[in-house]
Amino acid sequence: MAEKSRGGISTSDTYGKAAPRHLEGVECLADLLEKEGVKGVLNYTVYMSPQAVSVDELRSFLEAEKSGREIGWKSTQYVKLTCFLDWLVYGRPEST
């Protein structure tokens, strides 16, 4: 069953369990990209502390990866990151 990451995005238990290992030593998005590549950024950014994710870096990454966003798994992860970016910029909606 899907759980929520720190950014409120539904995520797979598999990625959530693996995230600490992949994020070890990662301080920012650039570190994650260097350590894990594009796939790592797509899979694990939503598990980073929101304070560690630069909105500008994430927006640039999404722009750079826009051309491949229609490819199955990558499409899903791309949409999650887009929602995470939206959450970082605009915050969580207030409960009514």
Side-chain angles (χ1 to χ4, degrees), residues 15-53:
Y15 292 123
K17 290 176 182 173
R21 177 172 39 94
H22 291 277
L23 295 175
E24 188 174 327
V26 171
E27 300 288 326
C28 63
L29 195 64
D31 290 349
L32 182 57
L33 183 58
E34 183 177 325
K35 180 180 179 189
E36 300 287 334
V38 169
K39 188 174 182 178
V41 173
L42 289 167
N43 287 333
Y44 301 108
T45 299
V46 297
Y47 295 99
M48 293 175 66
S49 165
Q51 294 78 17
V53 180

PDB file of all heavy atoms in Angstrom, residues 15-53:
ATOM      1  N   TYR A  15      10.404   2.160  -2.406  1.00  0.00           N
ATOM      2  CA  TYR A  15      11.272   3.336  -2.465  1.00  0.00           C
ATOM      3  C   TYR A  15      11.483   3.922  -1.079  1.00  0.00           C
ATOM      4  O   TYR A  15      12.576   4.367  -0.744  1.00  0.00           O
ATOM      5  CB  TYR A  15      10.701   4.400  -3.407  1.00  0.00           C
ATOM      6  CG  TYR A  15      10.705   3.988  -4.852  1.00  0.00           C
ATOM      7  CD1 TYR A  15       9.531   3.973  -5.584  1.00  0.00           C
ATOM      8  CD2 TYR A  15      11.875   3.617  -5.490  1.00  0.00           C
ATOM      9  CE1 TYR A  15       9.521   3.598  -6.925  1.00  0.00           C
ATOM     10  CE2 TYR A  15      11.884   3.231  -6.813  1.00  0.00           C
ATOM     11  CZ  TYR A  15      10.699   3.231  -7.526  1.00  0.00           C
ATOM     12  OH  TYR A  15      10.703   2.856  -8.846  1.00  0.00           O
ATOM     13  N   GLY A  16      10.436   3.942  -0.275  1.00  0.00           N
ATOM     14  CA  GLY A  16      10.540   4.491   1.073  1.00  0.00           C
ATOM     15  C   GLY A  16      11.539   3.739   1.931  1.00  0.00           C
ATOM     16  O   GLY A  16      12.305   4.343   2.679  1.00  0.00           O
ATOM     17  N   LYS A  17      11.538   2.430   1.810  1.00  0.00           N
ATOM     18  CA  LYS A  17      12.477   1.617   2.585  1.00  0.00           C
ATOM     19  C   LYS A  17      13.905   1.774   2.092  1.00  0.00           C
ATOM     20  O   LYS A  17      14.846   1.702   2.865  1.00  0.00           O
ATOM     21  CB  LYS A  17      12.059   0.147   2.548  1.00  0.00           C
ATOM     22  CG  LYS A  17      10.795  -0.116   3.344  1.00  0.00           C
ATOM     23  CD  LYS A  17      10.337  -1.550   3.217  1.00  0.00           C
ATOM     24  CE  LYS A  17       9.032  -1.742   3.985  1.00  0.00           C
ATOM     25  NZ  LYS A  17       8.438  -3.053   3.776  1.00  0.00           N
ATOM     26  N   ALA A  18      14.065   1.991   0.802  1.00  0.00           N
ATOM     27  CA  ALA A  18      15.402   2.128   0.224  1.00  0.00           C
ATOM     28  C   ALA A  18      15.948   3.548   0.345  1.00  0.00           C
ATOM     29  O   ALA A  18      17.154   3.758   0.238  1.00  0.00           O
ATOM     30  CB  ALA A  18      15.377   1.717  -1.249  1.00  0.00           C
ATOM     31  N   ALA A  19      15.071   4.522   0.561  1.00  0.00           N
ATOM     32  CA  ALA A  19      15.475   5.928   0.555  1.00  0.00           C
ATOM     33  C   ALA A  19      16.627   6.257   1.498  1.00  0.00           C
ATOM     34  O   ALA A  19      17.579   6.947   1.081  1.00  0.00           O
ATOM     35  CB  ALA A  19      14.278   6.824   0.830  1.00  0.00           C
ATOM     36  N   PRO A  20      16.623   5.814   2.757  1.00  0.00           N
ATOM     37  CA  PRO A  20      17.740   6.190   3.636  1.00  0.00           C
ATOM     38  C   PRO A  20      19.102   5.798   3.084  1.00  0.00           C
ATOM     39  O   PRO A  20      20.063   6.557   3.181  1.00  0.00           O
ATOM     40  CB  PRO A  20      17.424   5.452   4.941  1.00  0.00           C
ATOM     41  CG  PRO A  20      15.938   5.295   4.935  1.00  0.00           C
ATOM     42  CD  PRO A  20      15.592   5.072   3.474  1.00  0.00           C
ATOM     43  N   ARG A  21      19.179   4.634   2.484  1.00  0.00           N
ATOM     44  CA  ARG A  21      20.448   4.176   1.901  1.00  0.00           C
ATOM     45  C   ARG A  21      20.863   5.069   0.730  1.00  0.00           C
ATOM     46  O   ARG A  21      22.015   5.458   0.605  1.00  0.00           O
ATOM     47  CB  ARG A  21      20.295   2.725   1.443  1.00  0.00           C
ATOM     48  CG  ARG A  21      21.516   2.144   0.766  1.00  0.00           C
ATOM     49  CD  ARG A  21      21.362   0.642   0.527  1.00  0.00           C
ATOM     50  NE  ARG A  21      20.033   0.215   0.110  1.00  0.00           N
ATOM     51  CZ  ARG A  21      19.675   0.061  -1.156  1.00  0.00           C
ATOM     52  NH1 ARG A  21      20.525   0.292  -2.132  1.00  0.00           N
ATOM     53  NH2 ARG A  21      18.464  -0.342  -1.463  1.00  0.00           N
ATOM     54  N   HIS A  22      19.913   5.420  -0.129  1.00  0.00           N
ATOM     55  CA  HIS A  22      20.213   6.228  -1.304  1.00  0.00           C
ATOM     56  C   HIS A  22      20.471   7.692  -0.960  1.00  0.00           C
ATOM     57  O   HIS A  22      21.163   8.390  -1.696  1.00  0.00           O
ATOM     58  CB  HIS A  22      19.071   6.127  -2.321  1.00  0.00           C
ATOM     59  CG  HIS A  22      18.974   4.780  -2.945  1.00  0.00           C
ATOM     60  ND1 HIS A  22      19.748   4.392  -4.016  1.00  0.00           N
ATOM     61  CD2 HIS A  22      18.208   3.704  -2.632  1.00  0.00           C
ATOM     62  CE1 HIS A  22      19.458   3.150  -4.346  1.00  0.00           C
ATOM     63  NE2 HIS A  22      18.526   2.713  -3.522  1.00  0.00           N
ATOM     64  N   LEU A  23      19.916   8.149   0.143  1.00  0.00           N
ATOM     65  CA  LEU A  23      20.073   9.552   0.536  1.00  0.00           C
ATOM     66  C   LEU A  23      21.223   9.779   1.520  1.00  0.00           C
ATOM     67  O   LEU A  23      21.478  10.911   1.909  1.00  0.00           O
ATOM     68  CB  LEU A  23      18.767  10.083   1.134  1.00  0.00           C
ATOM     69  CG  LEU A  23      17.598  10.156   0.166  1.00  0.00           C
ATOM     70  CD1 LEU A  23      16.330  10.574   0.892  1.00  0.00           C
ATOM     71  CD2 LEU A  23      17.890  11.106  -0.990  1.00  0.00           C
ATOM     72  N   GLU A  24      21.914   8.716   1.890  1.00  0.00           N
ATOM     73  CA  GLU A  24      23.036   8.849   2.818  1.00  0.00           C
ATOM     74  C   GLU A  24      24.095   9.787   2.232  1.00  0.00           C
ATOM     75  O   GLU A  24      24.547   9.609   1.101  1.00  0.00           O
ATOM     76  CB  GLU A  24      23.652   7.474   3.092  1.00  0.00           C
ATOM     77  CG  GLU A  24      24.695   7.494   4.175  1.00  0.00           C
ATOM     78  CD  GLU A  24      25.175   6.096   4.533  1.00  0.00           C
ATOM     79  OE1 GLU A  24      24.372   5.150   4.462  1.00  0.00           O
ATOM     80  OE2 GLU A  24      26.360   5.976   4.851  1.00  0.00           O
ATOM     81  N   GLY A  25      24.441  10.799   2.981  1.00  0.00           N
ATOM     82  CA  GLY A  25      25.444  11.767   2.540  1.00  0.00           C
ATOM     83  C   GLY A  25      24.931  12.814   1.573  1.00  0.00           C
ATOM     84  O   GLY A  25      25.682  13.665   1.114  1.00  0.00           O
ATOM     85  N   VAL A  26      23.654  12.776   1.248  1.00  0.00           N
ATOM     86  CA  VAL A  26      23.061  13.721   0.301  1.00  0.00           C
ATOM     87  C   VAL A  26      22.560  14.943   1.066  1.00  0.00           C
ATOM     88  O   VAL A  26      21.753  14.822   1.978  1.00  0.00           O
ATOM     89  CB  VAL A  26      21.902  13.059  -0.486  1.00  0.00           C
ATOM     90  CG1 VAL A  26      21.142  14.083  -1.303  1.00  0.00           C
ATOM     91  CG2 VAL A  26      22.442  11.946  -1.374  1.00  0.00           C
ATOM     92  N   GLU A  27      23.063  16.109   0.688  1.00  0.00           N
ATOM     93  CA  GLU A  27      22.662  17.362   1.340  1.00  0.00           C
ATOM     94  C   GLU A  27      21.717  18.195   0.483  1.00  0.00           C
ATOM     95  O   GLU A  27      21.008  19.044   0.999  1.00  0.00           O
ATOM     96  CB  GLU A  27      23.908  18.196   1.654  1.00  0.00           C
ATOM     97  CG  GLU A  27      24.888  17.525   2.576  1.00  0.00           C
ATOM     98  CD  GLU A  27      24.388  17.444   4.000  1.00  0.00           C
ATOM     99  OE1 GLU A  27      23.685  18.371   4.427  1.00  0.00           O
ATOM    100  OE2 GLU A  27      24.696  16.442   4.674  1.00  0.00           O
ATOM    101  N   CYS A  28      21.740  17.961  -0.832  1.00  0.00           N
ATOM    102  CA  CYS A  28      20.922  18.768  -1.739  1.00  0.00           C
ATOM    103  C   CYS A  28      20.640  17.966  -3.014  1.00  0.00           C
ATOM    104  O   CYS A  28      21.173  16.876  -3.205  1.00  0.00           O
ATOM    105  CB  CYS A  28      21.630  20.080  -2.078  1.00  0.00           C
ATOM    106  SG  CYS A  28      23.189  19.857  -2.955  1.00  0.00           S
ATOM    107  N   LEU A  29      19.824  18.530  -3.871  1.00  0.00           N
ATOM    108  CA  LEU A  29      19.440  17.849  -5.105  1.00  0.00           C
ATOM    109  C   LEU A  29      20.652  17.556  -5.992  1.00  0.00           C
ATOM    110  O   LEU A  29      20.748  16.486  -6.593  1.00  0.00           O
ATOM    111  CB  LEU A  29      18.407  18.690  -5.864  1.00  0.00           C
ATOM    112  CG  LEU A  29      17.657  17.984  -6.973  1.00  0.00           C
ATOM    113  CD1 LEU A  29      16.800  16.859  -6.422  1.00  0.00           C
ATOM    114  CD2 LEU A  29      16.786  18.968  -7.716  1.00  0.00           C
ATOM    115  N   ALA A  30      21.588  18.492  -6.052  1.00  0.00           N
ATOM    116  CA  ALA A  30      22.796  18.288  -6.866  1.00  0.00           C
ATOM    117  C   ALA A  30      23.583  17.075  -6.359  1.00  0.00           C
ATOM    118  O   ALA A  30      24.124  16.299  -7.160  1.00  0.00           O
ATOM    119  CB  ALA A  30      23.659  19.540  -6.867  1.00  0.00           C
ATOM    120  N   ASP A  31      23.660  16.902  -5.044  1.00  0.00           N
ATOM    121  CA  ASP A  31      24.340  15.729  -4.474  1.00  0.00           C
ATOM    122  C   ASP A  31      23.647  14.439  -4.898  1.00  0.00           C
ATOM    123  O   ASP A  31      24.300  13.460  -5.253  1.00  0.00           O
ATOM    124  CB  ASP A  31      24.336  15.783  -2.942  1.00  0.00           C
ATOM    125  CG  ASP A  31      25.217  16.850  -2.353  1.00  0.00           C
ATOM    126  OD1 ASP A  31      26.027  17.449  -3.085  1.00  0.00           O
ATOM    127  OD2 ASP A  31      25.076  17.097  -1.127  1.00  0.00           O
ATOM    128  N   LEU A  32      22.316  14.456  -4.836  1.00  0.00           N
ATOM    129  CA  LEU A  32      21.553  13.264  -5.214  1.00  0.00           C
ATOM    130  C   LEU A  32      21.761  12.942  -6.690  1.00  0.00           C
ATOM    131  O   LEU A  32      21.958  11.780  -7.060  1.00  0.00           O
ATOM    132  CB  LEU A  32      20.066  13.460  -4.912  1.00  0.00           C
ATOM    133  CG  LEU A  32      19.139  12.285  -5.209  1.00  0.00           C
ATOM    134  CD1 LEU A  32      19.562  11.023  -4.459  1.00  0.00           C
ATOM    135  CD2 LEU A  32      17.700  12.644  -4.866  1.00  0.00           C
ATOM    136  N   LEU A  33      21.734  13.954  -7.533  1.00  0.00           N
ATOM    137  CA  LEU A  33      21.956  13.745  -8.966  1.00  0.00           C
ATOM    138  C   LEU A  33      23.343  13.171  -9.217  1.00  0.00           C
ATOM    139  O   LEU A  33      23.502  12.231 -10.002  1.00  0.00           O
ATOM    140  CB  LEU A  33      21.762  15.055  -9.731  1.00  0.00           C
ATOM    141  CG  LEU A  33      21.880  14.985 -11.242  1.00  0.00           C
ATOM    142  CD1 LEU A  33      20.868  14.005 -11.836  1.00  0.00           C
ATOM    143  CD2 LEU A  33      21.687  16.372 -11.847  1.00  0.00           C
ATOM    144  N   GLU A  34      24.345  13.685  -8.528  1.00  0.00           N
ATOM    145  CA  GLU A  34      25.715  13.188  -8.700  1.00  0.00           C
ATOM    146  C   GLU A  34      25.848  11.752  -8.197  1.00  0.00           C
ATOM    147  O   GLU A  34      26.484  10.916  -8.833  1.00  0.00           O
ATOM    148  CB  GLU A  34      26.691  14.086  -7.941  1.00  0.00           C
ATOM    149  CG  GLU A  34      28.139  13.680  -8.115  1.00  0.00           C
ATOM    150  CD  GLU A  34      29.080  14.625  -7.405  1.00  0.00           C
ATOM    151  OE1 GLU A  34      28.811  15.832  -7.360  1.00  0.00           O
ATOM    152  OE2 GLU A  34      30.110  14.135  -6.892  1.00  0.00           O
ATOM    153  N   LYS A  35      25.233  11.455  -7.063  1.00  0.00           N
ATOM    154  CA  LYS A  35      25.358  10.128  -6.452  1.00  0.00           C
ATOM    155  C   LYS A  35      24.521   9.068  -7.161  1.00  0.00           C
ATOM    156  O   LYS A  35      24.980   7.954  -7.385  1.00  0.00           O
ATOM    157  CB  LYS A  35      24.944  10.204  -4.981  1.00  0.00           C
ATOM    158  CG  LYS A  35      25.042   8.892  -4.249  1.00  0.00           C
ATOM    159  CD  LYS A  35      24.623   9.016  -2.794  1.00  0.00           C
ATOM    160  CE  LYS A  35      24.728   7.654  -2.124  1.00  0.00           C
ATOM    161  NZ  LYS A  35      24.158   7.643  -0.797  1.00  0.00           N
ATOM    162  N   GLU A  36      23.267   9.405  -7.515  1.00  0.00           N
ATOM    163  CA  GLU A  36      22.312   8.397  -7.994  1.00  0.00           C
ATOM    164  C   GLU A  36      21.868   8.587  -9.438  1.00  0.00           C
ATOM    165  O   GLU A  36      21.147   7.751  -9.966  1.00  0.00           O
ATOM    166  CB  GLU A  36      21.075   8.376  -7.093  1.00  0.00           C
ATOM    167  CG  GLU A  36      21.360   8.035  -5.644  1.00  0.00           C
ATOM    168  CD  GLU A  36      21.696   6.566  -5.429  1.00  0.00           C
ATOM    169  OE1 GLU A  36      21.263   5.721  -6.230  1.00  0.00           O
ATOM    170  OE2 GLU A  36      22.394   6.272  -4.453  1.00  0.00           O
ATOM    171  N   GLY A  37      22.221   9.717 -10.048  1.00  0.00           N
ATOM    172  CA  GLY A  37      21.813   9.976 -11.417  1.00  0.00           C
ATOM    173  C   GLY A  37      20.348  10.382 -11.515  1.00  0.00           C
ATOM    174  O   GLY A  37      19.660  10.571 -10.516  1.00  0.00           O
ATOM    175  N   VAL A  38      19.873  10.489 -12.748  1.00  0.00           N
ATOM    176  CA  VAL A  38      18.505  10.924 -13.014  1.00  0.00           C
ATOM    177  C   VAL A  38      17.497   9.992 -12.338  1.00  0.00           C
ATOM    178  O   VAL A  38      16.536  10.439 -11.713  1.00  0.00           O
ATOM    179  CB  VAL A  38      18.244  11.002 -14.537  1.00  0.00           C
ATOM    180  CG1 VAL A  38      16.767  11.184 -14.839  1.00  0.00           C
ATOM    181  CG2 VAL A  38      19.067  12.119 -15.158  1.00  0.00           C
ATOM    182  N   LYS A  39      17.713   8.705 -12.434  1.00  0.00           N
ATOM    183  CA  LYS A  39      16.797   7.738 -11.838  1.00  0.00           C
ATOM    184  C   LYS A  39      16.686   7.948 -10.326  1.00  0.00           C
ATOM    185  O   LYS A  39      15.592   7.891  -9.756  1.00  0.00           O
ATOM    186  CB  LYS A  39      17.257   6.321 -12.155  1.00  0.00           C
ATOM    187  CG  LYS A  39      16.280   5.258 -11.753  1.00  0.00           C
ATOM    188  CD  LYS A  39      16.729   3.884 -12.233  1.00  0.00           C
ATOM    189  CE  LYS A  39      15.713   2.834 -11.863  1.00  0.00           C
ATOM    190  NZ  LYS A  39      16.104   1.516 -12.357  1.00  0.00           N
ATOM    191  N   GLY A  40      17.807   8.211  -9.686  1.00  0.00           N
ATOM    192  CA  GLY A  40      17.790   8.454  -8.249  1.00  0.00           C
ATOM    193  C   GLY A  40      17.029   9.714  -7.877  1.00  0.00           C
ATOM    194  O   GLY A  40      16.299   9.741  -6.887  1.00  0.00           O
ATOM    195  N   VAL A  41      17.193  10.762  -8.667  1.00  0.00           N
ATOM    196  CA  VAL A  41      16.457  12.004  -8.411  1.00  0.00           C
ATOM    197  C   VAL A  41      14.961  11.756  -8.566  1.00  0.00           C
ATOM    198  O   VAL A  41      14.152  12.178  -7.731  1.00  0.00           O
ATOM    199  CB  VAL A  41      16.934  13.145  -9.332  1.00  0.00           C
ATOM    200  CG1 VAL A  41      16.047  14.373  -9.182  1.00  0.00           C
ATOM    201  CG2 VAL A  41      18.382  13.507  -9.031  1.00  0.00           C
ATOM    202  N   LEU A  42      14.588  11.050  -9.616  1.00  0.00           N
ATOM    203  CA  LEU A  42      13.170  10.754  -9.840  1.00  0.00           C
ATOM    204  C   LEU A  42      12.582   9.903  -8.719  1.00  0.00           C
ATOM    205  O   LEU A  42      11.441  10.101  -8.316  1.00  0.00           O
ATOM    206  CB  LEU A  42      12.982  10.049 -11.188  1.00  0.00           C
ATOM    207  CG  LEU A  42      13.191  10.922 -12.423  1.00  0.00           C
ATOM    208  CD1 LEU A  42      13.286  10.060 -13.673  1.00  0.00           C
ATOM    209  CD2 LEU A  42      12.088  11.954 -12.566  1.00  0.00           C
ATOM    210  N   ASN A  43      13.355   8.985  -8.187  1.00  0.00           N
ATOM    211  CA  ASN A  43      12.848   8.070  -7.175  1.00  0.00           C
ATOM    212  C   ASN A  43      12.900   8.596  -5.748  1.00  0.00           C
ATOM    213  O   ASN A  43      12.035   8.243  -4.937  1.00  0.00           O
ATOM    214  CB  ASN A  43      13.613   6.743  -7.215  1.00  0.00           C
ATOM    215  CG  ASN A  43      13.260   5.899  -8.402  1.00  0.00           C
ATOM    216  OD1 ASN A  43      12.170   5.994  -8.936  1.00  0.00           O
ATOM    217  ND2 ASN A  43      14.190   5.058  -8.822  1.00  0.00           N
ATOM    218  N   TYR A  44      13.901   9.399  -5.411  1.00  0.00           N
ATOM    219  CA  TYR A  44      14.154   9.674  -4.000  1.00  0.00           C
ATOM    220  C   TYR A  44      14.058  11.135  -3.559  1.00  0.00           C
ATOM    221  O   TYR A  44      14.107  11.404  -2.367  1.00  0.00           O
ATOM    222  CB  TYR A  44      15.510   9.099  -3.588  1.00  0.00           C
ATOM    223  CG  TYR A  44      15.562   7.613  -3.819  1.00  0.00           C
ATOM    224  CD1 TYR A  44      16.319   7.066  -4.844  1.00  0.00           C
ATOM    225  CD2 TYR A  44      14.791   6.750  -3.040  1.00  0.00           C
ATOM    226  CE1 TYR A  44      16.322   5.693  -5.082  1.00  0.00           C
ATOM    227  CE2 TYR A  44      14.777   5.392  -3.280  1.00  0.00           C
ATOM    228  CZ  TYR A  44      15.550   4.870  -4.291  1.00  0.00           C
ATOM    229  OH  TYR A  44      15.536   3.523  -4.531  1.00  0.00           O
ATOM    230  N   THR A  45      13.874  12.067  -4.458  1.00  0.00           N
ATOM    231  CA  THR A  45      13.783  13.478  -4.057  1.00  0.00           C
ATOM    232  C   THR A  45      12.641  13.706  -3.080  1.00  0.00           C
ATOM    233  O   THR A  45      12.782  14.479  -2.126  1.00  0.00           O
ATOM    234  CB  THR A  45      13.619  14.390  -5.286  1.00  0.00           C
ATOM    235  OG1 THR A  45      14.769  14.220  -6.129  1.00  0.00           O
ATOM    236  CG2 THR A  45      13.513  15.844  -4.880  1.00  0.00           C
ATOM    237  N   VAL A  46      11.512  13.045  -3.281  1.00  0.00           N
ATOM    238  CA  VAL A  46      10.358  13.266  -2.397  1.00  0.00           C
ATOM    239  C   VAL A  46      10.620  12.792  -0.968  1.00  0.00           C
ATOM    240  O   VAL A  46       9.852  13.130  -0.069  1.00  0.00           O
ATOM    241  CB  VAL A  46       9.071  12.618  -2.944  1.00  0.00           C
ATOM    242  CG1 VAL A  46       8.670  13.244  -4.265  1.00  0.00           C
ATOM    243  CG2 VAL A  46       9.200  11.117  -3.065  1.00  0.00           C
ATOM    244  N   TYR A  47      11.688  12.047  -0.748  1.00  0.00           N
ATOM    245  CA  TYR A  47      12.049  11.590   0.593  1.00  0.00           C
ATOM    246  C   TYR A  47      13.040  12.523   1.277  1.00  0.00           C
ATOM    247  O   TYR A  47      13.368  12.325   2.443  1.00  0.00           O
ATOM    248  CB  TYR A  47      12.616  10.172   0.544  1.00  0.00           C
ATOM    249  CG  TYR A  47      11.589   9.172   0.103  1.00  0.00           C
ATOM    250  CD1 TYR A  47      11.543   8.730  -1.211  1.00  0.00           C
ATOM    251  CD2 TYR A  47      10.635   8.705   0.995  1.00  0.00           C
ATOM    252  CE1 TYR A  47      10.573   7.824  -1.620  1.00  0.00           C
ATOM    253  CE2 TYR A  47       9.660   7.798   0.589  1.00  0.00           C
ATOM    254  CZ  TYR A  47       9.646   7.369  -0.719  1.00  0.00           C
ATOM    255  OH  TYR A  47       8.677   6.483  -1.116  1.00  0.00           O
ATOM    256  N   MET A  48      13.532  13.506   0.552  1.00  0.00           N
ATOM    257  CA  MET A  48      14.457  14.477   1.142  1.00  0.00           C
ATOM    258  C   MET A  48      13.679  15.470   1.999  1.00  0.00           C
ATOM    259  O   MET A  48      12.493  15.702   1.776  1.00  0.00           O
ATOM    260  CB  MET A  48      15.217  15.229   0.041  1.00  0.00           C
ATOM    261  CG  MET A  48      16.160  14.369  -0.754  1.00  0.00           C
ATOM    262  SD  MET A  48      16.935  15.247  -2.131  1.00  0.00           S
ATOM    263  CE  MET A  48      17.937  16.438  -1.237  1.00  0.00           C
ATOM    264  N   SER A  49      14.368  16.061   2.934  1.00  0.00           N
ATOM    265  CA  SER A  49      13.750  17.125   3.717  1.00  0.00           C
ATOM    266  C   SER A  49      13.404  18.268   2.768  1.00  0.00           C
ATOM    267  O   SER A  49      14.229  18.651   1.935  1.00  0.00           O
ATOM    268  CB  SER A  49      14.750  17.613   4.769  1.00  0.00           C
ATOM    269  OG  SER A  49      14.329  18.829   5.308  1.00  0.00           O
ATOM    270  N   PRO A  50      12.211  18.818   2.872  1.00  0.00           N
ATOM    271  CA  PRO A  50      11.843  19.927   1.977  1.00  0.00           C
ATOM    272  C   PRO A  50      12.833  21.092   2.035  1.00  0.00           C
ATOM    273  O   PRO A  50      13.073  21.760   1.039  1.00  0.00           O
ATOM    274  CB  PRO A  50      10.461  20.345   2.481  1.00  0.00           C
ATOM    275  CG  PRO A  50       9.905  19.114   3.100  1.00  0.00           C
ATOM    276  CD  PRO A  50      11.084  18.413   3.724  1.00  0.00           C
ATOM    277  N   GLN A  51      13.440  21.308   3.195  1.00  0.00           N
ATOM    278  CA  GLN A  51      14.422  22.384   3.323  1.00  0.00           C
ATOM    279  C   GLN A  51      15.702  22.116   2.530  1.00  0.00           C
ATOM    280  O   GLN A  51      16.438  23.041   2.209  1.00  0.00           O
ATOM    281  CB  GLN A  51      14.781  22.618   4.805  1.00  0.00           C
ATOM    282  CG  GLN A  51      13.645  23.140   5.638  1.00  0.00           C
ATOM    283  CD  GLN A  51      12.634  22.067   6.048  1.00  0.00           C
ATOM    284  OE1 GLN A  51      12.890  20.864   5.983  1.00  0.00           O
ATOM    285  NE2 GLN A  51      11.450  22.514   6.441  1.00  0.00           N
ATOM    286  N   ALA A  52      15.952  20.860   2.207  1.00  0.00           N
ATOM    287  CA  ALA A  52      17.159  20.494   1.467  1.00  0.00           C
ATOM    288  C   ALA A  52      16.968  20.559  -0.046  1.00  0.00           C
ATOM    289  O   ALA A  52      17.922  20.424  -0.800  1.00  0.00           O
ATOM    290  CB  ALA A  52      17.602  19.092   1.862  1.00  0.00           C
ATOM    291  N   VAL A  53      15.731  20.772  -0.487  1.00  0.00           N
ATOM    292  CA  VAL A  53      15.442  20.778  -1.923  1.00  0.00           C
ATOM    293  C   VAL A  53      15.271  22.213  -2.402  1.00  0.00           C
ATOM    294  O   VAL A  53      14.347  22.914  -1.985  1.00  0.00           O
ATOM    295  CB  VAL A  53      14.173  19.961  -2.236  1.00  0.00           C
ATOM    296  CG1 VAL A  53      13.882  19.978  -3.729  1.00  0.00           C
ATOM    297  CG2 VAL A  53      14.320  18.526  -1.742  1.00  0.00           C
TER     298      VAL A  53
END
